[in-house]
Structure formats: C-alpha cells, structure tokens
Amino acid sequence: MKIRALAAGVAATMMLVAVQLAAQTAALPAIDLPDPYAAGVKFGQMPEGRQWGGVIAVTPDRDGKSIWAFERCGGNCLNSELPAVLEFDPGGKLLKSFGAGMFVFPHGIAVDKEGNVYVADADGKKGKGHIVVKFSPDGKVLMTLGKPGMPGDAPGYFYRPSAVAVAPDGTIFVADGHGGDSNARILKLAPDGTVIKSWGKKGSAPGEFNEPHGIALDSAGRVFVADRVNIRIQIFDPDGKFLAEWKQFGRPSGVYMDKHDMLYVADSQSAEKTNPGFQQGIRIGSAKDGKVVAFIPETKELGALEGVAVDAQGHVYAGYTGTMNLRRFVKSKDTVGRR
C-alpha cells in the first residue's frame, strides 16, 4: 500500500511539474500548425421552417455518437417557445428537442455518465435565467440550480453562469460569470446541488477571472477554465488550487476535453488589437504538457466560433453564434491547410 501511495504521489508530482513547465516555456503557436481536417460541413437537420439560432454549446452524448446542441431559439430565446436543447444522431437527424420557453441566453452544456443533460442560462429577464438545469435524457427537469431570474453571489445563486462540467462521480463545476458586473468565480457542487466551495473573483491575478466563459475536466480531475478576457486557460486541482495558466491556446471562448486528455479550444475573438499574433479558430493540444499540435482556422465566411466538442470518432463540432450554424470537421489524409 505504501508503494502504491508513493507511486501515485510521484505521478501527481510529475504531472504538476509538466503543467508548470509548459506554462513557463510555451511559445506563441505558429499560425502554420498542421490542420488535419477537411473543410467543415454544416451539421444538423432542423425541422422545416426553423432556422438555427446561435449555437453556443455542443457536446457528444455519453455514447460518443449522437450530438447535443444548445442554441438560441432561432435568434432570441426570451420570447420564444422553440426548444433550445437539441439532440442529433451521427447523420445529423434530429432525434429530440426540449427546453421550450425556459431560457433567456443559452450558454453551456454538459452530459454526465448517465446521459443526463446540464445547461447553463447566462442571463436573466422576466423571471427566467441565471440558472443551471439538469434534464433527464428525455427532457424531464431533474434539478434546477440557482434562482430563476434572480442574480446573486450568495450560496444557491448564480449571476450569469456561462458553462458547466460534470465529473464521473457526479460532482458539478460551474463557471459563474459573463463579464460586466456579473460574478467571476468557479463553483463546485455535490451531485444534489449542494455548494461545496467556490473560488475566484474578478481580476487578472492567478485564480481570478474576467469572463470565465468555458470549463472542462481532464482524467485527473483538474479543472480547465476559459478565462476569456484575460486571454488564458487557467488550470486548478478539483479543490480550486491554482496550478498554471496557459496562453498558447489563444483567447478562449469554449473548451472541450476528450477521453485522451486532448484539449480543444475555440477562439472567437483573437485579433491584432485583442491578441496580437493569434488567429481565430480551434487549437488542439495535450492537457498533459500544453503543447498545441493542430489548428483549425476560422474563415471569413463563418463567424463567432464559440462552441466546440469532439465525438468518439474524432470528428470536431464547431458552434457559431455569429453566422448561427453548427459544423462538423472530419479528419483528412491531407494535413495541409485547405482554406
């Protein structure tokens, strides 16, 4: 037992050292990084007469095949009766939809190991919003976290929650805040919604946030936060201890972690004024050492790439809030940029 404990401790120390080393030595990613994907194609067949709204968040189901999208009701959810949570089969056929009339500003989505769907509503009006909702796979509301339409920073309240992630044991992590006067913190909650702890405040120091826009967990339980305005990914242990910050993934709007601990980061805001030397697109790299190994560039025809996810086959899904569509990128044998 002592040998196992020692080995586990050594492994944890080595991972921490790798993370810190990557934070210290990571250079700006070259814009000519390999792009191993064919040009993205539109994905998801909407019902006749319905158009996509902004596709802010996307994630695969627990089977890794079907795809969930959280979109803004064809344009604006506040006065809409359109369902905002949609599931598509691998071919893009709509399987189910729910959440009609429930949301103000759809923002984050996650699926737990039982197939339950969690979504974050990042604004509040008319008695709705500032909440995280847990649905069954068929759309039954199982739990509502936060007080609908009532922003706050006291226990049990959110103020513009932007993203949600769920650990294998059911522990819930919420990135609470979306700029302005809203919160700027991470909350850790028990599976029943009881707040365990929170950390962070508005600022730019380690452990502080300015628009925590996305959140993901790796296989070791580390928490990766897209600290968008501060132009960095911040990494914490499961209890909120700051481990490192990474700037090599650009100005992050969305983050997704696959089962191999590869990190996919959607950058919708980098420009010469906001983040010199970086282009918008999806950067792909190892969560173990922070090395960026691939880049799917944004194009002028698209816009505001904020949602990102990967299915079991390695296909990348990109949600756009500007041009309002969902696209799938499939790996190609030709790894030379084709855009």
Side-chain angles (χ1 to χ4, degrees):
M1 294 298 289
K2 289 183 178 180
I3 294 176
R4 291 181 180 177
L6 179 61
V10 170
T13 300
M14 291 177 65
M15 180 172 288
L16 177 57
V17 169
V19 169
Q20 293 173 333
L21 182 61
Q24 295 168 2
T25 62
L28 298 182
I31 60 174
D32 60 350
L33 282 165
D35 173 12
Y37 296 86
V41 297
K42 290 184 177 180
F43 179 84
Q45 302 161 19
M46 299 294 276
E48 185 176 354
R50 178 173 177 179
Q51 302 296 318
W52 280 105
V55 186
I56 183 62
V58 59
T59 193
D61 197 19
R62 60 176 175 172
D63 63 5
K65 298 178 181 179
S66 59
I67 298 298
W68 290 95
F70 196 27
E71 67 94 38
R72 292 174 178 162
C73 307
N76 189 317
C77 285
L78 180 59
N79 298 310
S80 173
E81 290 300 321
L82 293 173
V85 185
L86 314 172
E87 184 186 16
F88 299 91
D89 73 10
K93 179 181 178 181
L94 182 63
L95 297 176
K96 66 186 72 163
S97 60
F98 48 81
M102 292 182 63
F103 305 108
V104 177
F105 193 55
H107 215 280
I109 192 168
V111 174
D112 68 18
K113 67 177 184 179
E114 296 176 348
N116 300 308
V117 182
Y118 300 69
V119 296
D121 191 359
D123 208 349
K125 295 180 180 178
K126 297 183 178 181
K128 299 189 292 185
H130 299 304
I131 56 174
V132 172
V133 180
K134 176 184 178 181
F135 291 100
S136 73
D138 294 320
K140 179 182 178 181
V141 175
L142 302 178
M143 181 169 60
T144 299
L145 304 174
K147 309 295 183 184
M150 299 175 63
D153 59 3
Y157 289 81
F158 299 118
Y159 191 175
R160 304 201 71 185
S162 288
V164 57
V166 186
D169 66 357
T171 300
I172 305 163
F173 293 85
V174 177
D176 183 24
H178 195 279
D181 295 329
S182 67
N183 293 333
R185 62 182 182 175
I186 303 301
L187 283 91
K188 179 180 181 179
L189 303 97
D192 66 359
T194 302
V195 176
I196 298 173
K197 70 180 307 177
S198 67
W199 68 87
K201 63 179 181 178
K202 191 163 186 176
S204 58
E208 297 178 348
F209 306 99
N210 192 347
E211 205 168 287
H213 206 264
I215 192 166
L217 310 175
D218 71 1
S219 62
R222 295 181 301 165
V223 182
F224 290 67
V225 180
D227 188 10
R228 185 162 73 173
V229 176
N230 285 325
I231 316 177
R232 62 187 180 183
I233 300 288
Q234 291 202 68
I235 308 170
F236 304 88
D237 76 7
D239 293 316
K241 178 182 177 182
F242 174 81
L243 300 177
E245 68 173 38
W246 288 348
K247 290 183 173 289
Q248 64 269 30
F249 285 88
R251 187 177 171 106
S253 286
V255 291
Y256 182 82
M257 191 78 65
D258 73 12
K259 63 182 180 180
H260 304 294
D261 282 343
M262 291 299 292
L263 181 65
Y264 296 74
V265 179
D267 179 346
S268 66
Q269 293 190 348
S270 280
E272 282 306 306
K273 289 185 178 181
T274 60
N275 194 21
F278 285 77
Q279 293 182 345
Q280 296 178 22
I282 299 172
R283 291 179 178 83
I284 305 168
S286 171
K288 296 178 180 179
D289 60 14
K291 183 179 180 181
V292 180
V293 298
F295 177 60
I296 304 174
E298 176 67 293
T299 67
K300 294 181 179 179
E301 295 77 20
L302 302 175
L305 191 169
E306 298 197 56
V308 63
V310 184
D311 67 17
Q313 290 184 282
H315 304 328
V316 175
Y317 296 81
Y320 298 83
T321 58
T323 51
M324 296 189 290
N325 67 97
L326 176 62
R327 288 179 177 264
R328 178 165 66 188
F329 295 82
V330 177
K331 282 192 174 182
S332 169
K333 293 181 180 179
D334 176 13
T335 59
V336 178
R338 292 168 296 284
R339 293 170 179 77

PDB file of all heavy atoms in Angstrom, residues 41-59:
ATOM      1  N   VAL A  41     -18.361  21.051 -42.700  1.00  0.00           N
ATOM      2  CA  VAL A  41     -19.649  20.991 -43.409  1.00  0.00           C
ATOM      3  C   VAL A  41     -20.772  21.189 -42.395  1.00  0.00           C
ATOM      4  O   VAL A  41     -20.650  20.831 -41.228  1.00  0.00           O
ATOM      5  CB  VAL A  41     -19.833  19.650 -44.148  1.00  0.00           C
ATOM      6  CG1 VAL A  41     -18.783  19.487 -45.230  1.00  0.00           C
ATOM      7  CG2 VAL A  41     -19.767  18.477 -43.176  1.00  0.00           C
ATOM      8  N   LYS A  42     -21.861  21.766 -42.845  1.00  0.00           N
ATOM      9  CA  LYS A  42     -22.983  22.004 -41.960  1.00  0.00           C
ATOM     10  C   LYS A  42     -23.527  20.689 -41.422  1.00  0.00           C
ATOM     11  O   LYS A  42     -23.616  19.690 -42.147  1.00  0.00           O
ATOM     12  CB  LYS A  42     -24.081  22.777 -42.683  1.00  0.00           C
ATOM     13  CG  LYS A  42     -23.709  24.223 -42.978  1.00  0.00           C
ATOM     14  CD  LYS A  42     -24.879  24.980 -43.607  1.00  0.00           C
ATOM     15  CE  LYS A  42     -24.521  26.438 -43.829  1.00  0.00           C
ATOM     16  NZ  LYS A  42     -25.633  27.207 -44.434  1.00  0.00           N
ATOM     17  N   PHE A  43     -23.895  20.712 -40.158  1.00  0.00           N
ATOM     18  CA  PHE A  43     -24.387  19.503 -39.492  1.00  0.00           C
ATOM     19  C   PHE A  43     -25.695  19.827 -38.770  1.00  0.00           C
ATOM     20  O   PHE A  43     -25.842  20.899 -38.178  1.00  0.00           O
ATOM     21  CB  PHE A  43     -23.355  19.003 -38.482  1.00  0.00           C
ATOM     22  CG  PHE A  43     -23.783  17.776 -37.720  1.00  0.00           C
ATOM     23  CD1 PHE A  43     -23.609  16.512 -38.258  1.00  0.00           C
ATOM     24  CD2 PHE A  43     -24.374  17.888 -36.465  1.00  0.00           C
ATOM     25  CE1 PHE A  43     -24.014  15.381 -37.566  1.00  0.00           C
ATOM     26  CE2 PHE A  43     -24.781  16.767 -35.768  1.00  0.00           C
ATOM     27  CZ  PHE A  43     -24.605  15.504 -36.316  1.00  0.00           C
ATOM     28  N   GLY A  44     -26.616  18.869 -38.780  1.00  0.00           N
ATOM     29  CA  GLY A  44     -27.860  19.015 -38.037  1.00  0.00           C
ATOM     30  C   GLY A  44     -29.011  19.470 -38.909  1.00  0.00           C
ATOM     31  O   GLY A  44     -29.018  20.581 -39.426  1.00  0.00           O
ATOM     32  N   GLN A  45     -30.013  18.586 -39.062  1.00  0.00           N
ATOM     33  CA  GLN A  45     -31.187  18.875 -39.884  1.00  0.00           C
ATOM     34  C   GLN A  45     -32.284  19.451 -38.995  1.00  0.00           C
ATOM     35  O   GLN A  45     -32.867  18.752 -38.171  1.00  0.00           O
ATOM     36  CB  GLN A  45     -31.661  17.603 -40.582  1.00  0.00           C
ATOM     37  CG  GLN A  45     -30.592  16.956 -41.458  1.00  0.00           C
ATOM     38  CD  GLN A  45     -30.900  15.505 -41.775  1.00  0.00           C
ATOM     39  OE1 GLN A  45     -32.042  15.060 -41.646  1.00  0.00           O
ATOM     40  NE2 GLN A  45     -29.876  14.757 -42.186  1.00  0.00           N
ATOM     41  N   MET A  46     -32.563  20.732 -39.175  1.00  0.00           N
ATOM     42  CA  MET A  46     -33.598  21.389 -38.383  1.00  0.00           C
ATOM     43  C   MET A  46     -34.982  21.104 -38.968  1.00  0.00           C
ATOM     44  O   MET A  46     -35.117  20.838 -40.162  1.00  0.00           O
ATOM     45  CB  MET A  46     -33.339  22.893 -38.348  1.00  0.00           C
ATOM     46  CG  MET A  46     -32.010  23.270 -37.718  1.00  0.00           C
ATOM     47  SD  MET A  46     -31.934  22.872 -35.966  1.00  0.00           S
ATOM     48  CE  MET A  46     -32.737  24.314 -35.272  1.00  0.00           C
ATOM     49  N   PRO A  47     -36.011  21.163 -38.131  1.00  0.00           N
ATOM     50  CA  PRO A  47     -37.370  20.957 -38.641  1.00  0.00           C
ATOM     51  C   PRO A  47     -37.705  21.980 -39.728  1.00  0.00           C
ATOM     52  O   PRO A  47     -37.166  23.092 -39.743  1.00  0.00           O
ATOM     53  CB  PRO A  47     -38.240  21.169 -37.400  1.00  0.00           C
ATOM     54  CG  PRO A  47     -37.339  20.895 -36.249  1.00  0.00           C
ATOM     55  CD  PRO A  47     -35.987  21.364 -36.679  1.00  0.00           C
ATOM     56  N   GLU A  48     -38.595  21.615 -40.627  1.00  0.00           N
ATOM     57  CA  GLU A  48     -38.975  22.511 -41.722  1.00  0.00           C
ATOM     58  C   GLU A  48     -39.473  23.848 -41.180  1.00  0.00           C
ATOM     59  O   GLU A  48     -40.285  23.908 -40.266  1.00  0.00           O
ATOM     60  CB  GLU A  48     -40.067  21.866 -42.574  1.00  0.00           C
ATOM     61  CG  GLU A  48     -40.440  22.684 -43.801  1.00  0.00           C
ATOM     62  CD  GLU A  48     -41.452  21.974 -44.680  1.00  0.00           C
ATOM     63  OE1 GLU A  48     -41.777  20.799 -44.388  1.00  0.00           O
ATOM     64  OE2 GLU A  48     -41.920  22.590 -45.664  1.00  0.00           O
ATOM     65  N   GLY A  49     -38.922  24.899 -41.720  1.00  0.00           N
ATOM     66  CA  GLY A  49     -39.338  26.232 -41.319  1.00  0.00           C
ATOM     67  C   GLY A  49     -38.573  26.814 -40.153  1.00  0.00           C
ATOM     68  O   GLY A  49     -38.751  27.988 -39.813  1.00  0.00           O
ATOM     69  N   ARG A  50     -37.694  26.008 -39.545  1.00  0.00           N
ATOM     70  CA  ARG A  50     -36.923  26.517 -38.414  1.00  0.00           C
ATOM     71  C   ARG A  50     -35.474  26.747 -38.810  1.00  0.00           C
ATOM     72  O   ARG A  50     -34.854  25.910 -39.465  1.00  0.00           O
ATOM     73  CB  ARG A  50     -36.994  25.559 -37.229  1.00  0.00           C
ATOM     74  CG  ARG A  50     -36.137  26.047 -36.046  1.00  0.00           C
ATOM     75  CD  ARG A  50     -36.299  25.247 -34.791  1.00  0.00           C
ATOM     76  NE  ARG A  50     -35.384  25.748 -33.760  1.00  0.00           N
ATOM     77  CZ  ARG A  50     -35.296  25.268 -32.519  1.00  0.00           C
ATOM     78  NH1 ARG A  50     -36.098  24.284 -32.141  1.00  0.00           N
ATOM     79  NH2 ARG A  50     -34.430  25.784 -31.669  1.00  0.00           N
ATOM     80  N   GLN A  51     -34.942  27.876 -38.384  1.00  0.00           N
ATOM     81  CA  GLN A  51     -33.555  28.212 -38.636  1.00  0.00           C
ATOM     82  C   GLN A  51     -32.746  28.064 -37.348  1.00  0.00           C
ATOM     83  O   GLN A  51     -33.278  28.156 -36.248  1.00  0.00           O
ATOM     84  CB  GLN A  51     -33.445  29.654 -39.152  1.00  0.00           C
ATOM     85  CG  GLN A  51     -34.237  29.933 -40.420  1.00  0.00           C
ATOM     86  CD  GLN A  51     -33.750  29.127 -41.609  1.00  0.00           C
ATOM     87  OE1 GLN A  51     -32.534  28.991 -41.806  1.00  0.00           O
ATOM     88  NE2 GLN A  51     -34.664  28.614 -42.407  1.00  0.00           N
ATOM     89  N   TRP A  52     -31.448  27.859 -37.514  1.00  0.00           N
ATOM     90  CA  TRP A  52     -30.567  27.828 -36.357  1.00  0.00           C
ATOM     91  C   TRP A  52     -30.510  29.204 -35.692  1.00  0.00           C
ATOM     92  O   TRP A  52     -30.524  30.238 -36.361  1.00  0.00           O
ATOM     93  CB  TRP A  52     -29.144  27.472 -36.765  1.00  0.00           C
ATOM     94  CG  TRP A  52     -28.867  26.021 -36.995  1.00  0.00           C
ATOM     95  CD1 TRP A  52     -28.706  25.398 -38.197  1.00  0.00           C
ATOM     96  CD2 TRP A  52     -28.686  25.003 -35.999  1.00  0.00           C
ATOM     97  NE1 TRP A  52     -28.443  24.060 -38.018  1.00  0.00           N
ATOM     98  CE2 TRP A  52     -28.421  23.795 -36.670  1.00  0.00           C
ATOM     99  CE3 TRP A  52     -28.733  25.014 -34.612  1.00  0.00           C
ATOM    100  CZ2 TRP A  52     -28.198  22.598 -36.008  1.00  0.00           C
ATOM    101  CZ3 TRP A  52     -28.512  23.813 -33.945  1.00  0.00           C
ATOM    102  CH2 TRP A  52     -28.253  22.634 -34.633  1.00  0.00           C
ATOM    103  N   GLY A  53     -30.421  29.204 -34.381  1.00  0.00           N
ATOM    104  CA  GLY A  53     -30.004  30.394 -33.660  1.00  0.00           C
ATOM    105  C   GLY A  53     -28.513  30.260 -33.412  1.00  0.00           C
ATOM    106  O   GLY A  53     -27.845  29.393 -33.975  1.00  0.00           O
ATOM    107  N   GLY A  54     -27.975  31.112 -32.569  1.00  0.00           N
ATOM    108  CA  GLY A  54     -26.562  30.976 -32.247  1.00  0.00           C
ATOM    109  C   GLY A  54     -26.301  29.669 -31.525  1.00  0.00           C
ATOM    110  O   GLY A  54     -26.908  29.379 -30.498  1.00  0.00           O
ATOM    111  N   VAL A  55     -25.394  28.849 -32.065  1.00  0.00           N
ATOM    112  CA  VAL A  55     -25.072  27.551 -31.459  1.00  0.00           C
ATOM    113  C   VAL A  55     -23.911  27.779 -30.494  1.00  0.00           C
ATOM    114  O   VAL A  55     -22.746  27.676 -30.857  1.00  0.00           O
ATOM    115  CB  VAL A  55     -24.726  26.492 -32.515  1.00  0.00           C
ATOM    116  CG1 VAL A  55     -24.536  25.130 -31.848  1.00  0.00           C
ATOM    117  CG2 VAL A  55     -25.822  26.409 -33.567  1.00  0.00           C
ATOM    118  N   ILE A  56     -24.245  28.079 -29.258  1.00  0.00           N
ATOM    119  CA  ILE A  56     -23.245  28.476 -28.283  1.00  0.00           C
ATOM    120  C   ILE A  56     -22.517  27.288 -27.668  1.00  0.00           C
ATOM    121  O   ILE A  56     -21.365  27.413 -27.244  1.00  0.00           O
ATOM    122  CB  ILE A  56     -23.895  29.324 -27.162  1.00  0.00           C
ATOM    123  CG1 ILE A  56     -22.860  29.809 -26.158  1.00  0.00           C
ATOM    124  CG2 ILE A  56     -25.017  28.546 -26.482  1.00  0.00           C
ATOM    125  CD1 ILE A  56     -21.805  30.711 -26.738  1.00  0.00           C
ATOM    126  N   ALA A  57     -23.160  26.118 -27.625  1.00  0.00           N
ATOM    127  CA  ALA A  57     -22.537  24.976 -26.940  1.00  0.00           C
ATOM    128  C   ALA A  57     -22.941  23.678 -27.605  1.00  0.00           C
ATOM    129  O   ALA A  57     -24.069  23.526 -28.085  1.00  0.00           O
ATOM    130  CB  ALA A  57     -22.938  24.963 -25.465  1.00  0.00           C
ATOM    131  N   VAL A  58     -22.002  22.733 -27.611  1.00  0.00           N
ATOM    132  CA  VAL A  58     -22.224  21.435 -28.232  1.00  0.00           C
ATOM    133  C   VAL A  58     -21.437  20.391 -27.459  1.00  0.00           C
ATOM    134  O   VAL A  58     -20.372  20.671 -26.913  1.00  0.00           O
ATOM    135  CB  VAL A  58     -21.814  21.484 -29.726  1.00  0.00           C
ATOM    136  CG1 VAL A  58     -20.359  21.869 -29.872  1.00  0.00           C
ATOM    137  CG2 VAL A  58     -22.101  20.187 -30.433  1.00  0.00           C
ATOM    138  N   THR A  59     -21.971  19.167 -27.387  1.00  0.00           N
ATOM    139  CA  THR A  59     -21.272  18.080 -26.700  1.00  0.00           C
ATOM    140  C   THR A  59     -21.810  16.747 -27.191  1.00  0.00           C
ATOM    141  O   THR A  59     -22.992  16.640 -27.541  1.00  0.00           O
ATOM    142  CB  THR A  59     -21.437  18.195 -25.169  1.00  0.00           C
ATOM    143  OG1 THR A  59     -20.517  17.320 -24.509  1.00  0.00           O
ATOM    144  CG2 THR A  59     -22.848  17.836 -24.715  1.00  0.00           C
TER     145      THR A  59
END
